[in-house]
Amino acid sequence: MMRIGHGYDVHRLVPGRKLFLGGVEIPSPLGLLGHSDADAALHAVMDAILGALGRGDIGTLFPDSDPKYRDIDSKVLLSKVFQAMVIAGYRIGNLDITIIAEAPRLSPYIGQMRAVIAHLLACEEHAVNVKATTEEGLGFTGHREGIACHAVVLLAD
Ligand code: MG
């Protein structure tokens, strides 16, 4: 049995916040605003896995009205989603992530993101693909107002 899921997330870029993407801290004058550490890539991954499991979304699992999730490391949240996936009897088949950001340049951090995510999801690094793209200066990502991320996952039993 295989299950497919898609996740999408956006966070606003603001001064005075650290930038976390794919579980990696990236030097940047702007960081993502959110209740947690606002790692849009890990949030998209969690929503993809929860989608594949038919278990709703991270907003239901980890409500931003709950103070215990304030500034929480999204790696901790992904570990909880991973546990739910394992209990449901699934493992990662493969995972494909697209981060849409005008800046900073993410290519130096892609390898580290793959390693961190593969470790958290107990799979091989080649099962985790991370791509970064810009939107050619167009729209909110192009205007550096925010960063968007898509993730597609295939779960196998
Ligand atoms: Mg989010």
Side-chain angles (χ1 to χ4, degrees), residues 9-11 39-40 43 58:
D9 196 31
V10 170
H11 283 268
D39 186 328
H43 292 185
I58 55 170

Side-chain angles (χ1 to χ4, degrees), residues 22-90:
V24 176
E25 186 179 342
I26 295 164
S28 166
L30 303 176
L32 293 173
L33 182 64
H35 186 68
S36 66
D37 67 6
D39 186 328
L42 293 192
H43 292 185
V45 169
M46 286 186 262
D47 269 351
I49 294 171
L50 290 169
L53 294 172
R55 294 280 291 274
D57 60 41
I58 55 170
T60 315
L61 237 65
F62 313 117
D64 64 7
S65 53
D66 191 331
K68 77 171 170 243
Y69 300 123
R70 184 165 180 77
D71 290 327
I72 195 168
D73 183 338
S74 293
K75 295 193 287 297
V76 174
L77 303 180
L78 180 56
S79 293
K80 291 179 192 288
V81 170
F82 170 72
Q83 283 164 24
M85 182 189 92
V86 170
I87 289 166
Y90 288 95

Side-chain angles (χ1 to χ4, degrees), residues 105-124:
R105 226 171 73 83
L106 297 175
S107 56
Y109 306 98
I110 297 288
Q112 207 182 333
M113 290 183 205
R114 291 180 74 184
V116 167
I117 295 165
H119 177 72
L120 289 166
L121 296 176
C123 65
E124 300 293 329

